[in-house]
């Protein structure tokens, strides 16, 4: 199918176009249109996946059109093994998030649905863009809908959270803009070169930048991505944004937005600035490991379930960063898979927290207790997702974490298994804070009378969670199907990093472990 | 009749057409003081005629009136820009002036007079043309700022602008005199022929410095920005909208001509000074913008900051920089006219309704208006997909290409600061609840504002639409 990427990317806009003609009183219709549009996008993304060739590391289904000729800015979209699953994840989570807000959002519904669909365009664009200018446009434009979603439909401290989210992200991305400009300028200074933001062209020249300058470039890009991930100590916007955002906002934030940071590190920082990546590996890895432990410890002492889940993200994303900077095939593949895993399990956790909040209007752990007796279905599902989140073998989380630990243990770039060893404690901590929370919320006697009359999940809510649970089990049992798409692209990056480390003259055989 | 060659008349056709129409409008005003609609229509027709003439002779780069006036390309592009700004200003102002109890039709005549001055500035092939244009525009602005005679703030605004503006004009004229004294000409191309050896003479350098002061004052750049907040806040909002867009665009068009044709901007000392002015404007404008609670005053500080961004383009002394400024001016004009248009619609007769508090809950009460104003705020912040982002991209790109990366870094840092206060408007409109009097919205104003918003969105997504034209002029 021609132009499938463009169709997928902009299909949510179709929903917005339809919404323009619907009166704001027709709430059911508005919701149906939103869900319909996002399902269409999901269907298109499945089509896209069906024609994806896992055997090659190259960008596929590439489309290009001249956008601004003078500065060689083009509309270039494409997918490869690093992005294809993230595109699927985005298209998968958006309808779920919309359905999740079926009854919880009634105020200014039309705007809400429009913002969610706009957000989806932005996220898909980030994962598809093959031009740095285009990437930046989507990266920034996506802030606007998220800002409104937190600010209008969020909790009590929503204004503070929304502004903080916006400013933090802007702070990082503006410096990235300078780095993009500088890269384009650098390309123009080479013999026969021209100012460009085409990623493919830049990938050919950027690794040749002298180390000092490369480090500045790396720092500018990495800062932007590290804020998004978020990497310790740049994570402070995250608990605010997550806790204040409405359920669907949290699902998208945790499920997709955070991945944009790790995706950026993998897509841009490593291949464009290999030498600087080596130089920064110790710093990034230390921060990743600190984040793993710190996030887990802070999560442990939270009294609010949503905040606990939010801090657990800091910990889990630390694993992803560590996996990326191990620069081994296991580590990077694990990182790519872990991005998906985290999107599924944390997305599901936020959905579950939202469901209990809709019933009890509190998220304080101390307000619960013994829910397993009152809400057996809810409790079962929560437990499954919890086990996935802490990495129980047989569920998805285990595969990703295991690969990352394996990769970072062996990595010649990290040089020492210490990182892996410390990170492994994070696995234990995560079991502690999650299971401790589960124990206090679900087991024991029912201590609060308000909890006795809670109703169990509705059919809609179960229907919402089942697809997520399906993938949680599927990835856990048969991970190879989900590792295959990223294999070729990962191998290429790892090979490239090895060549950069050891000099290009080295025969290909040495790239093996 | 060889008194004035036909080619000169054709070259100056746009300016002459606007001039004739403005005199016709003035005549109507004198004899039929109550025929406001007739004056309004005549003025609009005048602007339209100017746009047609400027568009007709657009592509050819020539000169007229013995190289005094530039014709075609750059000059015509800017003429069209000024006239579009004038039209939007008039359409937005008509209901506003009525509402504020100002029932005199000479406002529209004055808009055209100012537009003539702007067109001359954008077509100046000679320092004298530039000076004449500047004076025509400035004197008109002094009058316009004080149009609300019964209001103390309007009088204050007018007087302040006049006193400080007269001073700046003095500097400018003295600068022209010194440049003439050291080069023997006021023609920009002939001055250019003496670059760079003329810069060996201290008096020549001083002349450029004085010229720079005069122009920096007109664009409202640091450290000559002190007048901006008071004048912008005190003047009638319609006048503020016109000054901050047309006035700034005209001053920058003259800036580009005066500094790029004689290549003065290639003097390293000049680059340093321009870079410092740009940096100072960005810092001061954005820093003081943070603490504002009044939308008009905030936009005034924001205009200082944006003068700083555009000065980056002058400092980088490259075609990309000048193209960037031109694009930026188009986007800034549409954005600011739109934003002030919203302010005009919501301002009450007593001059209230301009604080953030009074905008609280607007997203619920006037969803369309709030959405439009949000778009303008995001564009001013420089967030894609709005034109403000593309403009900044070009300007920062020009800085990086000219080795002024530090200026681009400062630009993004101050943009970040500005995010906070632009977003505050959005916060008040959407995230807070409030109730205020609900003026009815005139359809014509709403249409003009919506058109501006559509403009910044289209230019943000497809900048090539006008950028290809801009590139062809340099």
């Amino acid at each position: 199918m021609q132009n499938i990427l463009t169709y997928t990317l902009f299909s949510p806009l179709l929903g917005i176009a339809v919404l323009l003609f619907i009166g704001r009183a027709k709430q059911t219709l508005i919701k149906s249109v939103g869900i319909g549009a996002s399902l269409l996008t999901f269907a298109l993304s499945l089509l896209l996946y069906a024609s994806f060739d896992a055997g090659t590391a190259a960008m596929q289904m590439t489309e290009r059109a001249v956008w601004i000729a003078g500065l060689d800015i083009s509309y270039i979209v494409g997918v490869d093994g690093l992005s294809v699953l993230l595109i699927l994840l985005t298209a998968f989570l958006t309808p779920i998030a919309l359905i999740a807000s079926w009854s919880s959002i009634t105020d200014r519904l039309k705007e809400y649905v429009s913002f969610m669909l706009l957000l989806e365009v932005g996220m898909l664009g980030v994962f598809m863009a093959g031009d740095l200018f285009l990437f930046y446009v989507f990266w920034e434009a996506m802030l606007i809908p998220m800002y409104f979603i937190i600010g209008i439909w969020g909790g009590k401290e929503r204004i503070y959270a929304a502004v903080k989210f916006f400013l933090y992200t802007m702070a990082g991305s503006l410096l990235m803009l300078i780095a993009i400009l500088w890269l384009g300028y650098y390309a123009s200074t080479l013999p026969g070169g021209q100012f460009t933001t085409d990623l493919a062209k830049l990938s050919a020249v950027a690794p040749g930048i002298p180390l000092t300058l490369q480090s500045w470039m790396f720092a500018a890009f990495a800062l932007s991505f590290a804020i998004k991930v978020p990497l310790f100590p740049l994570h402070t916007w995250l608990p605010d944004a997550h806790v204040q955002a409405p359920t669907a906002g949290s699902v998208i934030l945790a499920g997709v937005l955070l991945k944009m940071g790790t995706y950026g590190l993998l897509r841009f920082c490593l291949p464009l600035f290999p030498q600087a990546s080596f130089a920064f590996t110790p710093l990034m890895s230390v921060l990743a490991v600190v984040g793993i432990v710190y996030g887990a410890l802070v999560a442990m002492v939270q009294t609010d379930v949503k905040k606990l889940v939010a801090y657990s993200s800091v910990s889990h994303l630390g694993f992803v960063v560590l996996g990326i900077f191990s620069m081994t095939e296991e580590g990077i593949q694990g990182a790519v898979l872990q991005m998906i895993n985290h999107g599924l399990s944390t997305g599901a956790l936020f959905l579950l927290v939202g469901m209990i909040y809709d019933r009890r209007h509190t998220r304080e752990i101390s307000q619960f207790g013994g829910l397993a007796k009152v809400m057996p279905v809810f409790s079962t599902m929560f437990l499954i997702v919890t086990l996935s989140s802490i990495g129980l073998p047989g569920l998805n989380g285990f595969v990703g974490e295991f690969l990352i630990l394996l990769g970072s243990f062996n990595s010649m770039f990290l040089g020492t298994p210490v990182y892996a060893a410390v990170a492994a404690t994070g696995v234990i901590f995560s079991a502690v804070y999650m299971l401790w929370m589960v124990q206090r919320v679900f087991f024991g006697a029912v201590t609060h009378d308000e909890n006795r009359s809670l109703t169990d999940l509705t059919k809609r809510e179960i229907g919402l969670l089942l697809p997520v649970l399906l993938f949680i089990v599927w990835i856990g049992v048969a991970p190879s199907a989900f590792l295959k798409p990223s294999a070729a692209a990962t191998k290429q990056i790892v090979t490239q990093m090895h060549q950069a480390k050891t000099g290009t003259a080295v025969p290909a055989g040495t790239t093996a472990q | 009749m060889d008194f004035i060659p036909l080619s000169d008349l054709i070259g100056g056709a746009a300016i002459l057409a606007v001039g004739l129409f403005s005199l016709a409008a003035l005549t109507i005003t004198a004899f039929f003081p109550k025929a406001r609609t007739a004056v309004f229509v005549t003025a609009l027709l005048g602007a339209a005629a100017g746009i047609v003439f400027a568009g007709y002779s657009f592509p050819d780069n020539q000169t007229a009136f013995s190289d005094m006036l530039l014709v075609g390309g750059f000059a015509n592009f800017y003429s069209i820009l000024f006239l579009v700004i004038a039209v939007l200003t008039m359409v937005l102002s008509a209901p506003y002036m009525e509402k504020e109890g100002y029932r005199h039709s000479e406002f529209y005549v004055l808009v055209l007079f100012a537009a003539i001055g702007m067109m001359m500035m954008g077509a100046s092939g000679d320092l004298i043309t530039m000076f004449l244009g500047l004076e025509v525009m400035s004197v008109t602005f002094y009058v316009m700022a004080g149009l609300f005679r019964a209001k103390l703030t309007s009088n204050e605004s007018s007087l302040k602008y006049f006193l400080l503006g007269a001073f700046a004009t003095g500097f400018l004229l003295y600068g022209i005199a010194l440049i003439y004294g050291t080069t023997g000409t006021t023609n920009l191309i002939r001055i250019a022929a003496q670059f760079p050896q003329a810069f060996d003479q201290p008096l020549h350098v001083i002349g450029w410095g004085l010229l720079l002061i005069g122009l920096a004052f007109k664009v409202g750049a640091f450290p000559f920005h002190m007048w901006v907040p008071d004048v912008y806040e005190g003047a009638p909002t319609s006048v503020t909208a016109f000054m901050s867009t047309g006035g700034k665009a005209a001053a920058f068009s003259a800036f580009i001509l005066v500094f790029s044709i004689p290549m003065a901007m290639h003097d390293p000392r000049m680059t340093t000074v321009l870079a410092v002015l740009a940096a100072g404007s960005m810092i001061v404008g954005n820093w003081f913008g943070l603490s504002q609670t009044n939308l008009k005053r905030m936009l005034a500080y924001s205009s200082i900051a944006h003068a700083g961004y555009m000065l980056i383009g002058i400092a980088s002394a490259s075609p990309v920089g000048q193209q960037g400024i031109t694009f930026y001016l188009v986007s800034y004009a549409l954005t600011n006219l739109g934003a002030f248009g919203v302010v005009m619609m919501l301002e009450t007769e007593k001059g209230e309704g301009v604080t953030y508090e009074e905008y609280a809950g607007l997203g619920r009460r006037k969803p369309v208006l709030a959405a439009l104003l949000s778009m303008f705020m995001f564009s001013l912040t420089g967030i894609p997909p709005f034109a403000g982002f593309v403009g900044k991209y070009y300007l920062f790109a020009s800085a990086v290409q000219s080795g002024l990366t530090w200026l681009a870094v400062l630009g993004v840092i101050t943009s970040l600061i500005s995010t906070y206060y632009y977003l505050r408007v959005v916060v008040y409109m959407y995230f807070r609840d409030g109730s205020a009097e609900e003026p009815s919205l005139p359809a014509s104003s709403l249409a003009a504002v919506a058109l501006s918003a559509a403009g910044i969105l289209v230019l943000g997504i497809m900048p090539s639409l006008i950028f290809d034209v801009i590139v062809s002029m340099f």
Side-chain angles (χ1 to χ4, degrees), chain B residues 89-111:
Chain B
T89 305
M90 288 192 275
V91 171
L92 285 169
S93 307
Y96 169 77
M97 300 304 259
E98 290 281 326
K99 181 170 71 181
E100 300 291 320
Y102 176 87
R103 305 203 197 291
H104 305 283
S105 46
E106 66 264 34
F107 172 77
Y108 307 110
V109 181
L110 289 171
V111 169

Side-chain angles (χ1 to χ4, degrees), chain A residues 67-68 71 107-108 133 136-137 140-141 144 147-148 151-152 158-159 166-167 170-171 174 178 181 185 195 197, chain B residues 364 378 381 383-384 386 389 393-394 396-397 400-401 408-409 412 416 419-420 423 426-427 430-431 461 463-464:
Chain A
W67 190 5
I68 305 173
L71 294 177
D107 180 38
R108 290 189 255 187
F133 184 88
Y136 188 82
V137 165
E140 283 280 282
I144 299 175
Y147 169 71
F148 280 108
I152 297 183
R158 61 185 196 280
I159 298 178
F166 203 104
L167 289 179
M170 274 288 273
L174 281 169
I178 296 290
L181 286 170
Y185 164 69
F195 190 96
T197 47
Chain B
R364 206 178 280 281
F378 285 123
T381 315
I383 294 177
F386 302 108
F389 164 69
Y393 185 84
Y394 275 110
F396 295 158
V400 171
Q401 288 185 2
V409 171
V412 297
L416 179 66
T419 310
Y420 178 76
L423 281 190
V426 180
V427 164
Y430 281 96
F431 305 166
I461 295 171
S464 301

Side-chain angles (χ1 to χ4, degrees), chain A residues 167 174, chain B residues 282-283 286-288 290 309 412-422:
Chain A
L167 289 179
L174 281 169
Chain B
M282 293 188 294
I283 294 171
N286 283 320
W287 184 255
F288 287 101
L290 281 177
Y309 295 127
V412 297
I413 292 172
T414 52
S415 294
L416 179 66
I417 297 173
S418 78
T419 310
Y420 178 76
Y421 64 82
Y422 291 129

Side-chain angles (χ1 to χ4, degrees), chain A residues 157-217:
Chain A
E157 300 289 324
R158 61 185 196 280
I159 298 178
Y160 173 76
V163 174
K164 193 170 177 181
F165 164 74
F166 203 104
L167 289 179
Y168 260 70
T169 319
M170 274 288 273
S173 43
L174 281 169
L175 289 174
M176 178 167 73
L177 178 65
I178 296 290
I180 292 174
L181 286 170
W182 199 91
L183 269 179
Y185 164 69
Y186 176 80
S188 74
T189 59
L190 298 172
Q194 182 201 0
F195 190 96
T196 184
T197 47
D198 185 331
L199 182 60
K201 290 182 196 163
L202 287 174
S203 303
V205 299
I209 300 172
L211 181 60
T212 320
L213 281 167
Q214 210 178 88
S215 302
W216 281 106
M217 299 292 107

Side-chain angles (χ1 to χ4, degrees), chain A residues 416-495:
Chain A
T416 158
V418 172
Y419 296 113
V422 181
T425 64
V427 182
I428 302 164
F429 284 133
S430 79
V432 174
Y433 64 77
M434 288 303 286
L435 290 178
W436 190 32
M437 182 264 289
V438 165
Q439 185 209 341
R440 284 178 290 166
V441 171
F442 293 98
F443 300 117
V446 181
T447 45
H448 292 267
D449 284 338
E450 300 94 318
N451 292 337
R452 282 181 209 286
S453 55
L454 289 178
T455 51
D456 211 339
L457 297 186
T458 64
K459 286 202 182 90
R460 178 178 63 81
E461 289 168 329
I462 296 173
L464 201 63
L465 288 165
L466 275 181
V468 186
L469 290 179
L470 170 76
F471 279 105
I472 285 178
V473 178
W474 190 354
I475 299 177
V477 177
S480 56
F482 297 87
L483 288 169
K484 213 175 112 202
S486 61
T490 305
K491 200 175 179 70
Q492 192 194 29
I493 288 192
V494 173
T495 310

